[in-house]
Amino acid sequence: MCGIIGYCGSRSATRLLLSGLKRLEYRGYDSAGIGVVHENALQLYKKAGKIETLQSIVPDELEGNWGIGHNRWATHGEVNDINAHPHTDCTGKIAICHNGIIENCESLRNRLEIEGHRFSSQTDSEVIAHLVESFYEGNLEFALKATVSLLEGTYGILAISVDNPRQIVGARNGSPMIIAIADNEKFIASDVSAVLAHAKQVIYLEDGEVASINPDNYEISDVRNRSIDKKIEIISLELKEMEKGNYSHYMLKEIHEQTDSISRALKGRIDEKQATALLVGLNMSETELLAVKRITITAAGTSFYAARVVAYLLEKIARIPTTTELSSELRYRNPVVERGTLYIAVSQSGETIDTLMAVQELQRKGAPVLSVSNVVGSSIARESHGGIYIHSGPEIAVASTKAFTNQLAAMYMFALKMARMRHMAWSEGKKFIKNLSNLSDKIGEILKNADKIEQLARKYSGAKNFLFLGRGINFPVALEGALKLKEVAYIHAEGYSAAEIKHGPIALINSRTPSIFLVSDDHLYSKVLTSMKEVKVRNGPVIAISTERNEQISRIADDVFQIPKAEEDFYPFLMVIPLQLFAYYCALELGCDVDQPRNLAKSVTVE
Ligand code: AGP
């Protein structure tokens, strides 16, 4: 979603802001802008479209060594140049960038207009510029603090004034913000990726904090002017991890990385001797874990489907009743929090607003919340009691792929630990670990046949509707497969339990609606086969993702993609790979913007 960056130092701000915005573009955006100050003049450039379009209107040698920049993902007001950020006050001396949503913008705008302020955009964010103006008497930090005390909603705000040379002030509430520290220069941004090329030392701001930076110094305080001491953290991420390398798209790179990323998730976390998992980050003692009577996992999108897979597993191997709930629903549902229930929030980005708000609501009710996240230092990871980092490495493509399999791996280890503390025998634990450790090779086998999926995509990408069908632990994988195809190829797809088609979706079956069946050799195998036949006799094209050497399936399906055999609980890791590839190659066939699909954002930080 929106990305934000500010720079003050002695280098060209324009170049640094534009390259920072480019690094942030994976988050999803529709317009961009920068405001750079030189000799007391604010130079503003804003444009709808990609960073390249903005770049084309910014003069090559634009002078100035401090300023702010923003990628906008429209919420209030259409996508156009005027609604792009930065926004300015009536004097044109103050500029702001804002991530988030100001919920009381209408009443604030009315009041400001009555006071004589003139608005030029349709955005909620512009009220911030005028509010800062109304409070500004030479102290920008004071004016921003007074402003945020009137705001309802979420924000990450940067403000500059030409009258406060080389100072940038930032405030955070619900929208991530970091300060990056380097010699004689400072950055302030919504995401470490924007600054990684220039600084390794960062400070994560918390909600309610206000930061003021200049090239030599930084100060952090709360709205009551109490100074706050913050820990400086070192980013371990390397810039090359964020590069596309020889791949044509990040999505393809990330799909192929899964052989390595899954091994990273397991590394150092397997106790071979005791046949269990070592998860120190949980911050829960064995006694506390043993007292867990129920588990609820909450998440959104792909992370939610990973949660649903794991719910099957936890109930099966640890015998702990486990439910899943969309975080967007849970946060407003006034959930009943009972002693003995453990909550787990799953989020690749660690910034998804619905999941973050669900975590906060659960904590207000006294519930223990663990997180399963990819981004170290992200809001959800920091605000939960403990958790597991999935270590998939940065995921840049909007469509989540390697994070899904690593979320599974992280939570499978958690399930192993919970199971071993309860009913699972040592020998079973050993088998489970072996199955986990074999996944990387099996994924590698599937990836070797990516060209076969490419051929299938060529054959079927003209279809307007798809059904993805699976059962048991593979049912959530069918949902994930349908989500991937919708996201990147813009093809309508529905995920269903194969058993459910008779209750309605079978009416959709005709020769133009392909069904992708996930057929693993488990206890539901013959049931899935029956559903396949039901589709086939109604002339529906059938694509089966099934295990090696299965003649029975080949006789029914029009096309079969074979995956290696595995223990039944481990098929979700394998089934999802061809579905990711299928979505990717369909998108490619249809000329879609694979890495940044229309209307989507990588981390959804607004409602
Ligand atoms: C996945 O391909 C999507 N881009 C989306 O559904 C995503 O999984 C969802 O927004 C949740 O994100 P999170 O894992 O960062 O919380």
Side-chain angles (χ1 to χ4, degrees):
M1 222 141 248
C2 303
I4 202 165
I5 179 166
Y7 170 77
C8 51
S10 50
R11 294 194 276 166
S12 154
T14 309
R15 201 175 48 78
L16 292 166
L17 293 178
L18 288 172
S19 62
L21 291 180
K22 186 83 192 141
R23 292 267 174 212
L24 289 171
E25 71 175 355
Y26 77 97
R27 295 169 66 99
Y29 71 111
D30 45 55
S31 43
I34 57 168
V36 173
V37 187
H38 182 57
E39 292 181 347
N40 242 27
L42 178 65
Q43 312 165 93
L44 212 59
Y45 294 89
K46 323 199 289 184
K47 209 70 195 144
K50 297 274 180 190
I51 307 289
E52 288 71 19
T53 319
L54 171 66
Q55 233 152 359
S56 71
I57 62 157
V58 178
D60 280 345
E61 293 309 324
L62 188 69
E63 289 192 69
N65 40 33
W66 58 293
I68 54 179
H70 188 264
N71 289 342
R72 174 176 187 245
W73 189 87
T75 57
H76 292 58
E78 63 196 55
V79 178
N80 61 31
D81 298 351
I82 292 171
N83 288 336
H85 299 213
H87 291 290
T88 53
D89 70 330
C90 299
T91 66
K93 288 178 156 194
I94 292 168
I96 67 97
C97 292
H98 164 231
N99 290 353
I101 290 183
I102 305 304
E103 285 163 5
N104 59 338
C105 67
E106 286 305 322
S107 59
L108 291 171
R109 186 173 175 134
N110 290 342
R111 197 184 97 185
L112 286 159
E113 279 176 339
I114 291 167
E115 286 170 10
H117 290 266
R118 296 175 314 280
F119 281 75
S120 44
S121 78
Q122 304 160 313
T123 64
D124 54 336
S125 309
E126 195 183 341
V127 296
I128 299 168
H130 294 282
L131 280 173
V132 172
E133 177 188 8
S134 70
F135 291 116
Y136 183 74
E137 287 175 350
N139 185 333
L140 186 62
E141 191 181 326
F142 168 82
L144 185 61
K145 284 179 178 169
T147 298
V148 297
S149 69
L150 298 180
L151 301 180
E152 287 166 20
T154 54
Y155 51 79
I157 302 169
L158 296 185
I160 54 173
S161 161
V162 296
D163 293 330
N164 297 64
R166 306 214 293 170
Q167 182 189 23
I168 303 174
V169 183
R172 173 196 157 136
N173 183 45
S175 240
M177 191 171 279
I178 54 129
I179 298 174
I181 304 162
D183 285 347
N184 307 318
E185 59 182 9
K186 305 281 172 293
F187 295 81
I188 185 161
S190 51
D191 185 327
V192 290
S193 61
V195 300
L196 200 55
H198 313 288
K200 284 280 190 186
Q201 298 186 60
V202 298
I203 291 171
Y204 293 93
L205 294 190
E206 306 289 341
D207 285 352
E209 293 179 349
V210 175
S212 171
I213 62 167
N214 63 47
D216 309 310
N217 230 324
Y218 63 86
E219 275 170 25
I220 299 159
S221 54
D222 64 15
V223 279
R224 290 193 197 149
N225 285 325
R226 288 177 297 211
S227 171
I228 301 170
D229 240 353
K230 303 279 294 189
K231 193 169 144 220
I232 298 178
E233 310 207 17
I234 307 296
I235 321 172
S236 58
L237 199 65
E238 292 299 329
L239 200 55
K240 68 173 187 313
E241 293 181 62
M242 306 203 60
E243 310 287 352
K244 210 159 29 179
N246 293 329
Y247 287 94
S248 43
H249 294 96
Y250 280 107
M251 184 177 175
L252 189 63
K253 175 185 178 235
E254 288 160 9
I255 291 173
H256 280 270
E257 274 175 355
Q258 288 174 104
T259 47
D260 290 340
S261 58
I262 202 141
S263 307
R264 260 201 315 272
L266 307 182
K267 201 168 166 210
R269 287 163 161 179
I270 300 287
D271 181 345
E272 288 279 357
K273 215 165 154 197
Q274 307 301 334
T276 187
L278 297 164
L279 299 169
V280 283
L282 295 179
N283 286 334
M284 286 178 81
S285 68
E286 260 67 19
T287 318
E288 286 168 319
L289 288 172
L290 202 58
V292 172
K293 296 274 173 285
R294 293 178 172 277
I295 294 175
T296 293
I297 318 179
T298 188
T302 291
S303 301
F304 181 66
Y305 298 141
R308 287 188 59 172
V309 169
V310 172
Y312 276 89
L313 186 79
L314 272 164
E315 290 212 339
K316 184 176 167 186
I317 68 168
R319 303 303 293 154
I320 301 173
T322 305
T323 54
T324 55
E325 185 163 2
L326 288 168
S327 50
S328 51
E329 293 299 321
L330 189 139
R331 64 176 286 202
Y332 286 119
R333 200 179 49 79
N334 194 15
V336 178
V337 170
E338 283 180 322
R339 192 182 286 269
T341 305
L342 174 68
Y343 289 84
I344 303 176
V346 189
S347 173
Q348 184 284 130
S349 62
E351 300 295 347
T352 299
I353 194 81
D354 287 322
T355 310
L356 178 60
M357 294 299 148
V359 169
Q360 291 176 354
E361 178 62 11
L362 289 166
Q363 288 179 332
R364 271 190 287 272
K365 292 178 184 295
V369 186
L370 298 178
S371 63
V372 174
S373 175
N374 190 29
V375 180
V376 176
S378 59
S379 303
I380 292 171
R382 280 180 299 122
E383 292 197 20
S384 46
H385 294 107
I388 317 172
Y389 282 117
I390 65 169
H391 295 317
S392 70
E395 196 180 62
I396 308 292
V398 164
S400 192
T401 53
K402 62 177 180 172
F404 178 80
T405 40
N406 271 39
Q407 286 167 343
L408 291 185
M411 289 190 278
Y412 267 54
M413 283 186 287
F414 175 72
L416 167 67
K417 186 172 176 67
M418 296 302 261
R420 284 282 294 122
M421 290 174 62
R422 292 167 170 80
H423 317 279
M424 188 190 260
W426 181 86
S427 55
E428 286 298 305
K430 285 296 259 189
K431 230 164 88 187
F432 191 92
I433 289 171
K434 190 157 175 257
N435 285 322
L436 266 181
S437 313
N438 286 342
L439 285 171
S440 170
D441 287 348
K442 290 183 196 259
I443 291 173
E445 288 301 307
I446 298 172
L447 290 169
K448 275 188 207 150
N449 292 323
D451 58 321
K452 294 197 177 125
I453 297 285
E454 190 175 3
Q455 285 161 21
L456 288 178
R458 258 189 227 125
K459 180 171 171 187
Y460 289 103
S461 59
K464 298 280 177 266
N465 297 292
F466 274 84
L467 289 178
F468 284 73
L469 304 165
R471 289 207 64 176
I473 203 163
N474 292 318
F475 168 35
V477 184
L479 297 171
E480 170 62 4
L483 175 67
K484 283 289 88 86
L485 194 66
K486 282 185 273 216
E487 269 190 298
V488 299
Y490 316 146
I491 299 175
H492 175 248
E494 297 270 1
Y496 264 96
S497 155
E500 274 292 301
I501 53 169
K502 292 188 296 295
H503 302 290
I506 202 159
L508 296 171
I509 299 296
N510 60 29
S511 60
R512 298 181 310 282
T513 305
S515 297
I516 300 188
F517 278 88
L518 308 183
V519 204
S520 53
D521 49 358
D522 58 16
H523 64 292
L524 290 165
Y525 171 75
S526 59
K527 308 281 172 204
V528 178
L529 231 59
T530 304
S531 306
M532 261 172 70
K533 287 177 191 157
E534 287 164 358
V535 169
K536 195 63 214 160
V537 295
R538 288 167 178 83
N539 293 326
V542 170
I543 305 161
I545 314 288
S546 78
T547 50
E548 295 161 318
R549 291 182 292 283
N550 197 325
E551 300 303 328
Q552 222 176 354
I553 295 172
S554 308
R555 279 200 294 275
I556 309 169
D558 297 275
D559 288 284
V560 182
F561 181 82
Q562 293 190 327
I563 58 167
K565 271 185 182 293
E567 285 294 319
E568 68 177 69
D569 295 336
F570 293 82
Y571 277 118
F573 290 91
L574 308 181
M575 289 286 181
V576 78
I577 309 288
L579 303 189
Q580 295 169 345
L581 287 166
F582 186 72
Y584 171 78
Y585 285 117
C586 283
L588 213 59
E589 274 298 303
L590 299 171
C592 302
D593 187 347
V594 177
D595 286 336
Q596 290 162 35
R598 68 181 178 215
N599 306 335
L600 296 184
K602 183 66 183 163
S603 60
V604 181
T605 50
V606 296
E607 283 199 69

